[in-house]
Amino acid sequence: AQSVTQLGSHVSVSEGALVLLRCNYSSSVPPYLFWYVQYPNQGLQLLLKYTSAATLVKGINGFEAEFKKSETSFHLTKPSAHMRDAAEYFCAVSSGGGFKTIFGAGTRLFVKA
Amino acid sequence: IAGITQAPTSQILAAGRRMTLRCTQDMRHNAMYWYRQDLGLGLRLIHYSNTAGTTGKGEVPDGYSVSRANTDDFPLTLASAVPSQTSVYFCASSGVDGYTFGSGTRLTVV
């Protein structure tokens, strides 16, 4: 069985500050891990994915995430937040590709001017 | 532009009425899904389809049905809508690069 936990339903940062969104997973098999972003009134868009290659994964819009097997974590970071980064972010885990992916509950990111 | 098309964008529906939410993809993905998104509950899987001709139940299937007559279309039907089905519904398909989502259907059952 697989599961994913996002720590913090809301995160607030100042513009230019570091963004850190936390995600821990549980999986009995080597996982595929994803981060998705949802802007208001839109569907989810893929930010980045981990599929057992490099443990540091770079995505779109300056985001990156690091797979840490020992910590069962896949935290999302961005060095400097922009106002346009304000959105909801979903971590997700799958046992193979995208099929039957399990989504976290989401973390809403607020960016203050 | 390749992706998922959902219709309608929004709908207000009287309780007890039947409603079909439409979903079409043009990426030739085998797997398709319907989710509902509710505040504080994240995305919950309603039904899925591994390939044309097959469907399966997700986490919250009661009150919903789906069909998959071909690769591209995956409609979701509410046979007799109830207020608890008020939600935003997302259709998605998946390939090797992950999920592609539609823009959603906002459904209000009154």
Side-chain angles (χ1 to χ4, degrees):
Chain A
Q2 295 180 307
S3 65
V4 62
T5 302
Q6 292 184 239
L7 302 176
S9 58
H10 297 85
V11 170
S12 182
V13 300
S14 298
E15 193 171 22
L18 171 72
V19 176
L20 171 61
L21 304 182
R22 299 178 187 273
C23 172
N24 288 90
Y25 70 91
S26 172
S27 179
S28 57
V29 298
Y32 290 71
L33 293 160
F34 307 81
W35 275 99
Y36 289 85
V37 60
Q38 183 181 30
Y39 298 104
N41 299 313
Q42 295 185 27
L44 281 69
Q45 304 171 33
L46 182 66
L47 262 183
L48 51 81
K49 63 176 181 175
Y50 166 78
T51 57
S52 77
T55 56
L56 182 63
V57 181
K58 294 187 183 297
I60 62 172
N61 301 337
F63 284 93
E64 62 182 35
E66 186 172 9
F67 172 69
K68 292 187 176 180
K69 184 178 179 180
S70 61
E71 299 177 7
T72 62
S73 69
F74 191 58
H75 302 331
L76 181 70
T77 61
K78 182 174 180 177
S80 177
H82 292 269
M83 297 296 291
R84 63 176 176 265
D85 295 326
E88 187 149 20
Y89 292 81
F90 293 88
C91 182
V93 63
S94 171
S95 58
F99 182 63
K100 292 187 70 176
T101 299
I102 306 298
F103 289 86
T107 297
R108 184 165 295 277
L109 176 66
F110 297 92
V111 182
K112 300 173 292 186
Chain B
I1 298 176
I4 301 272
T5 301
Q6 288 186 239
T9 304
S10 65
Q11 181 76 44
I12 298 174
L13 185 68
R17 297 296 296 269
R18 180 184 180 90
M19 173 78 187
T20 294
L21 308 185
R22 299 185 298 278
C23 173
T24 300
Q25 58 129 339
D26 61 3
M27 297 166 287
R28 309 302 293 172
H29 287 163
N30 283 323
M32 297 188 74
Y33 315 84
W34 274 104
Y35 289 88
R36 59 178 290 172
Q37 185 177 31
D38 302 288
L39 192 63
L41 298 176
L43 288 168
R44 293 184 291 169
L45 182 65
I46 304 171
H47 285 287
Y48 66 92
S49 170
N50 293 344
T51 189
T54 69
T55 62
K57 294 182 179 180
E59 182 184 355
V60 289
D62 294 342
Y64 305 95
S65 64
V66 292
S67 62
R68 187 88 184 276
N70 56 61
T71 297
D72 297 342
D73 300 303
F74 191 45
L76 175 74
T77 298
L78 289 67
S80 179
V82 295
S84 62
Q85 292 178 310
T86 293
S87 186
V88 181
Y89 291 86
F90 288 99
C91 180
S93 68
S94 68
V96 294
D97 289 334
Y99 277 45
T100 299
F101 283 83
S103 297
T105 294
R106 184 174 297 275
L107 181 66
T108 303
V109 182
V110 297

